Amino acid sequence: MAPHTTRRFAFAARLLYIIDTFVYSIDMDSFARELSARISTLRLSHGQAIEVLRDTRLAESVSASALDAMIKKLRREGVPFAADELGDYQWEEIVYRYEHIIELAIALKMQSDGMSFRHVVALLTKYRNKLRKFYREALLEARSGRGADHSLKNPAQQPGELAQIKISGLYLDFRATYHNGVIGSPGPELLGPWKALERFMAYYDGLYPMPLIMLSQICERVFRIAEATPPVKRGRKA
């Protein structure tokens, strides 16, 4: 093949790559805007919130009545609503937005991982403003941006092991440790898949930090269920 023909093919291939990248960028921007709008408009009643959390299976061993009691106990301690968000609403009139339902889901996950109730409340309320930004980012970048796929090849594959795996999504690390029953944390951090793997696989000599939370996975599941949850019918008051 003549040199000038080869250069033309190379130029054409490069041009197609640029066009594909540009179109993909536009599609992703459009998707992010549409998803952001859906996040902002999500509204759930207390009954719907209970249904969503039950369907996420984050508290699978808990009965519906026990889950309702658990959420009411969290509410009394400021999770997932700050005092200024409650206003004068009656219990059944409270509206749960995206950040509220995710905060409850994370509270259930932390308790199922063995963290005490008071420590869960302390971490979620102390770092609430930062965490709410993480909740949105974890959903918007669950499969793109910081959460995009990373492929890892197995250099010495053993029987029963995969030759290659993919990791993706964003992970929540409270960087919390315990000392004499007291929990300490310099503040939460949102990790990409590679950093999360690095943090999880690190060697900790005599130090046992709190497990990472698969935030993107939880946010995706909760949001998908929340959008599909129908209104809960209330029975007549006696």
Side-chain angles (χ1 to χ4, degrees):
M1 186 178 291
H4 67 278
T5 304
T6 303
R7 287 196 295 271
R8 285 177 181 173
F9 273 117
F11 175 77
R14 178 62 179 169
L15 182 61
L16 285 173
Y17 173 78
I18 293 173
I19 292 172
D20 285 346
T21 302
F22 178 70
V23 171
Y24 176 78
S25 177
I26 292 176
D27 287 344
M28 289 307 298
D29 287 345
S30 176
F31 171 77
R33 286 195 298 270
E34 187 265 342
L35 180 57
S36 182
R38 286 161 53 199
I39 291 172
S40 299
T41 55
L42 182 69
R43 303 287 188 275
L44 298 171
S45 66
H46 178 72
Q48 285 176 303
I50 295 290
E51 291 295 322
V52 170
L53 293 170
R54 188 167 58 185
D55 289 345
T56 61
R57 303 176 70 177
L58 288 167
E60 193 172 16
S61 61
V62 177
S63 67
S65 59
L67 179 60
D68 183 66
M70 188 184 301
I71 291 174
K72 288 177 178 177
K73 182 180 178 182
L74 285 165
R75 286 245 316 248
R76 285 192 291 270
E77 298 298 325
V79 176
F81 298 101
D84 59 352
E85 292 179 301
L86 290 173
D88 296 325
Y89 288 113
Q90 296 297 318
W91 188 271
E92 67 276 5
E93 295 174 338
I94 289 294
V95 175
Y96 292 76
R97 296 174 181 265
Y98 170 76
E99 59 269 21
H100 301 135
I101 197 69
I102 297 298
E103 186 171 314
L104 280 177
I106 298 303
L108 293 179
K109 171 61 177 169
M110 292 165 74
Q111 288 185 90
S112 69
D113 285 342
M115 181 172 284
S116 70
F117 180 83
R118 63 189 179 91
H119 288 152
V120 170
V121 170
L123 288 173
L124 292 179
T125 54
K126 182 176 182 179
Y127 300 111
R128 173 169 285 144
N129 291 338
K130 191 173 187 179
L131 287 169
R132 286 185 174 179
K133 294 176 183 177
F134 288 173
Y135 302 155
R136 180 175 285 262
E137 189 176 346
L139 184 57
L140 291 173
E141 296 193 33
R143 302 178 186 276
S144 62
R146 291 181 61 198
D149 285 352
H150 285 63
S151 295
L152 302 175
K153 291 184 178 180
N154 190 336
Q157 187 178 3
Q158 300 295 319
E161 296 179 347
L162 296 174
Q164 180 174 303
I165 62 170
K166 284 187 176 182
I167 55 175
S168 61
L170 299 179
Y171 296 75
L172 177 60
D173 184 6
F174 277 100
R175 299 185 291 171
T177 56
Y178 294 96
H179 181 67
N180 294 330
V182 178
I183 193 168
S185 168
E189 186 178 2
L190 193 61
L191 308 177
W194 189 266
K195 189 67 177 179
L197 180 65
E198 181 183 311
R199 186 74 56 86
F200 177 76
M201 296 300 294
Y203 176 69
Y204 300 99
D205 187 12
L207 179 67
Y208 306 99
M210 174 184 167
L212 300 179
I213 294 174
M214 302 175 290
L215 189 58
S216 284
Q217 292 184 36
I218 291 175
C219 290
E220 281 190 310
R221 180 168 178 79
V222 170
F223 186 67
R224 183 173 66 251
I225 294 172
E227 283 198 308
T229 300
V232 176
K233 295 181 179 179
R234 298 196 187 106
R236 290 184 179 182
K237 295 182 179 180

